[in-house]
């Protein structure tokens, strides 16, 4: 336990504390001046930052839903008795996760380049246009992470007793009913974990839009992390960049906690309804 606490303090708590400490100052001629929470007051009035937060939350919802549904479908299909060469297909779907994110962004940047792609020219479609850019980034992230999440769901399914499946089949369940009524409820804790991890990862979106900005004009405030990077390294305003980073971390923790609480409430109510239905059936049978 002690090594974990030391690592937690060194790599999470201490950087957060230092960022918060830095956010309480401004710099004048290279000298820090204590200003209290003035940077936070300015940040709450910073429309560009909040616009980037809304943008990345929209990205997190769209990308998270598409990726998790796709991962679940792949895992459930590969878990049926009709699937063949399961290890091979699991490896193929997992391979994009092994590709570094920077390399994946560069590769997709070339695929999205309309002058280099005759198909895009024939379709008169530009994936790097302002209207399609967000969805193009969603496609990159889904390609990278769907196989990884599919592996988590598949690992969870392998831990389920086959007796449960056999009992359901004896009761007349087909593969779809087995997946809907047995496998998906059992995957609920894993799905909740992937939803939260996906949201946290989405809030840190940086690599894809930053690298694609070499091919198409993208605002420096497209995502909060790009805004923080520009503030810290282009404008060298480290205290204000630290302020935005602290706010982004607080927003991420708050929304993740809300998702966990909502999932627990929904799960408890679902278990209560199931218990009530089972008790009613027992009363009727007697």
């Amino acid at each position: 336990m002690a090594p974990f606490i030391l690592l937690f303090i060194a790599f999470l708590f201490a950087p957060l504390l230092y960022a918060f400490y830095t956010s309480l100052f401004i710099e004048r001629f290279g000298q820090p001046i204590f200003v209290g929470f003035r940077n936070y007051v300015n940040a709450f009035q910073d429309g560009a930052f909040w616009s980037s937060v809304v943008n990345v939350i929209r990205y997190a919802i769209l990308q998270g839903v598409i990726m998790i549904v796709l991962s679940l479908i792949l895992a459930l299909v590969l878990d049926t008795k009709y699937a063949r060469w399961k290890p091979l297909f699991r490896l193929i779907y997992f391979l994009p996760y092994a590709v570094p994110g920077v390399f994946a962004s560069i590769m997709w940047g070339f695929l999205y380049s309309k002058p280099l792609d005759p198909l895009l020219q024939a379709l008169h479609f530009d994936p790097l246009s302002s209207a399609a850019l967000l969805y193009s980034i969603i496609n990159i992230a889904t390609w990278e992470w769907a196989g990884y999440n599919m592996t988590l769901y598949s690992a969870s399914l392998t831990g389920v007793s086959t007796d449960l499946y056999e009992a359901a089949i004896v009761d007349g369940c087909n593969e779809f009913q087995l997946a809907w009524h047995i496998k998906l409820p059992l995957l609920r804790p894993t799905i909740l974990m992937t939803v939260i991890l996906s949201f946290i990862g989405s809030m840190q979106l940086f690599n894809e839009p930053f690298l694609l900005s070499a091919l198409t004009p993208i605002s420096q405030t497209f995502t909060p992390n790009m805004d923080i990077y520009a503030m810290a390294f282009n404008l060298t305003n480290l205290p204000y960049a630290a302020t935005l980073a602290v706010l982004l971390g607080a927003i991420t923790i708050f929304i993740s906690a809300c998702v966990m609480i909502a999932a627990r409430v929904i799960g408890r109510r679902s278990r209560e309804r199931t218990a009530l239905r089972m008790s009613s059936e027992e009363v009727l049978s007697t």
Side-chain angles (χ1 to χ4, degrees), residues 1-9:
M1 194 66 182
F4 167 76
I5 294 175
L6 289 175
L7 291 173
F8 179 81
I9 293 174

Side-chain angles (χ1 to χ4, degrees), residues 216-252:
T216 187
I218 298 179
S219 169
Q220 290 185 339
T221 58
F222 186 75
T223 71
N225 272 354
M226 290 180 69
D227 191 11
I228 293 169
Y229 177 88
M231 193 62 64
F233 299 104
N234 296 346
L235 302 178
T236 63
N237 190 347
L238 289 177
Y240 192 64
T243 304
L244 298 183
V246 170
L247 281 178
L248 180 62
I251 293 168
T252 304

